[in-house]
Amino acid sequence: VQLVESGGGSVQAGGSLRLSCAASGFTGDDYTIGWYRQAPGKEREGVSCINSRDGNTYYGDSVKGRFTITSDNAKNRVYLYMNSLKPDDTAVYYCAAEYSYGSSCQPLLGYGMDYWGKGTLVTVSS
C-alpha cells in the first residue's frame, strides 16, 4: 500500500486548505483511510477517518464542524477539507491506512494504522 499526501501550505487564520491522499496497492475494497497530525512537541493526534466501503466517518473533537473528509473511490483519493483554520491546526498532516475487516473507522484511527504517507506541512498564521 502506498499513500501520498499533497495540498499542505501556509494560510492565515480563518482560511481553508484541502489535503489530498492518493492511495494505491490495496487488496479488496474494505479499508480505512485516516488523517493524523503532529505538531512540534506534541503527540500525534488522530484527526479524521473514512471507511472505503460504507463511507463511515469520524472526526476528532478539535476539528469537528470545521473539517470534512470525503473519498473518491474511482480516483483512489481521500480529501480533507479544512475550514476556519486556527494557529493550533499547524502541524504535519499524515495520511494513513488500514484494512477495516468490517470495523468502523474510529477504533482503527485510535489503534493506529499500518500504512503511512510521508506527511504534508500545514502552517496557520495568526
Side-chain angles (χ1 to χ4, degrees), residues 17-72:
L17 283 174
R18 186 191 76 168
L19 303 184
S20 175
C21 174
S24 62
F26 290 107
T27 301
D29 64 352
D30 187 17
Y31 54 87
T32 287
I33 300 286
W35 285 98
Y36 294 81
R37 67 185 181 186
Q38 189 162 22
K42 295 187 177 180
E43 291 187 357
R44 186 181 67 193
E45 175 188 9
V47 173
S48 181
C49 59
I50 187 166
N51 182 281
S52 66
R53 179 171 286 180
D54 61 12
N56 166 255
T57 60
Y58 167 80
Y59 299 93
D61 287 343
S62 61
V63 305
K64 198 173 296 182
R66 299 188 298 122
F67 290 12
T68 302
I69 190 169
T70 64
S71 65
D72 184 337

Side-chain angles (χ1 to χ4, degrees), residues 67-112:
F67 290 12
T68 302
I69 190 169
T70 64
S71 65
D72 184 337
N73 289 344
K75 295 183 178 180
N76 292 324
R77 285 186 178 266
V78 170
Y79 301 100
L80 186 68
Y81 293 85
M82 306 186 296
N83 297 316
S84 302
L85 284 162
K86 307 173 182 179
D88 283 349
D89 294 317
T90 295
V92 177
Y93 284 72
Y94 298 92
C95 174
E98 181 60 84
Y99 287 102
S100 302
Y101 300 110
S103 173
S104 60
C105 79
Q106 180 184 358
L108 298 177
L109 189 72
Y111 295 149

